[in-house]
């Protein structure tokens, strides 16, 4: 839970916990233990690198909600906007221009929200 909070922020984790029901509690436990407690907590790759890898995979797989959430998490992982832009160029070449194009739109919107600028 410590790693999940460090990456996604306390507010996000508190919202997720508040919305957890008996139905999805086992799933929340699975991702907390598996993704955050095991994979994200390893020290072989930096949080910045894991963040960029995660974003690339989510963009390639068209996982829009998760992609936007992880864009917001870059505020905590050390992945800069320039890093994200370069990663999305890789996504365009290796996963396709449409996937990267949509991810760029999502990233721009998330950054505007993070900056407090109204998205047009």
């Amino acid at each position: 839970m410590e790693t999940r909070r460090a990456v996604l922020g306390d507010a996000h984790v508190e919202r997720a916990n508040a919305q957890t029901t008996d139905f999805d509690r086992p799933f929340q436990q699975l991702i907390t233990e598996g993704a955050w407690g095991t994979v994200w907590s390893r020290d072989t790759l930096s949080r910045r690198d894991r963040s960029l890898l995660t974003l690339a995979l989510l963009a390639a797989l068209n996982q829009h909600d998760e992609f936007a959430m992880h864009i917001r998490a870059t505020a905590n992982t050390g992945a800069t906007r320039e890093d994200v832009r370069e990663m999305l160029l890789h996504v365009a070449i290796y996963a396709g221009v449409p996937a990267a194009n949509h991810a760029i739109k999502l990233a721009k919107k998330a950054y505007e929200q993070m900056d407090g600028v109204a998205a047009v």
Side-chain angles (χ1 to χ4, degrees):
M1 190 60 79
E2 180 181 330
T3 301
R4 187 176 185 186
R5 287 180 179 281
V7 173
L8 299 178
D10 288 331
H12 173 85
V13 173
E14 291 304 322
R15 277 192 309 275
N17 286 340
Q19 295 172 3
T20 299
T21 66
D22 288 340
F23 180 77
D24 66 336
R25 186 166 284 106
F27 177 76
Q28 290 296 322
Q29 183 177 353
L30 173 71
I31 60 173
T32 298
E33 292 174 2
W36 300 108
T38 300
V39 175
W40 273 87
S41 293
R42 295 174 56 83
D43 61 6
T44 309
L45 296 175
S46 68
R47 286 194 179 151
R48 173 194 168 273
D49 292 345
R50 287 191 194 283
S51 182
L52 292 169
L53 285 166
T54 301
L55 285 164
L57 289 163
L58 293 171
L61 294 169
N62 293 308
Q63 297 299 310
H64 304 148
D65 291 339
E66 292 283 323
F67 181 84
M69 176 184 71
H70 278 277
I71 285 291
R72 291 187 295 275
T74 61
N76 302 323
T77 65
T80 66
R81 294 175 189 205
E82 293 77 18
D83 294 334
V84 171
R85 181 182 58 225
E86 293 301 313
M87 173 274 301
L88 288 169
L89 293 174
H90 258 65
V91 168
I93 297 303
Y94 290 98
V97 169
N101 186 43
H102 192 72
I104 288 169
K105 289 176 188 176
L106 294 171
K108 287 170 56 176
K109 183 176 180 181
Y111 287 139
E112 289 170 348
Q113 291 170 343
M114 291 166 70
D115 293 343
V117 176
V120 179

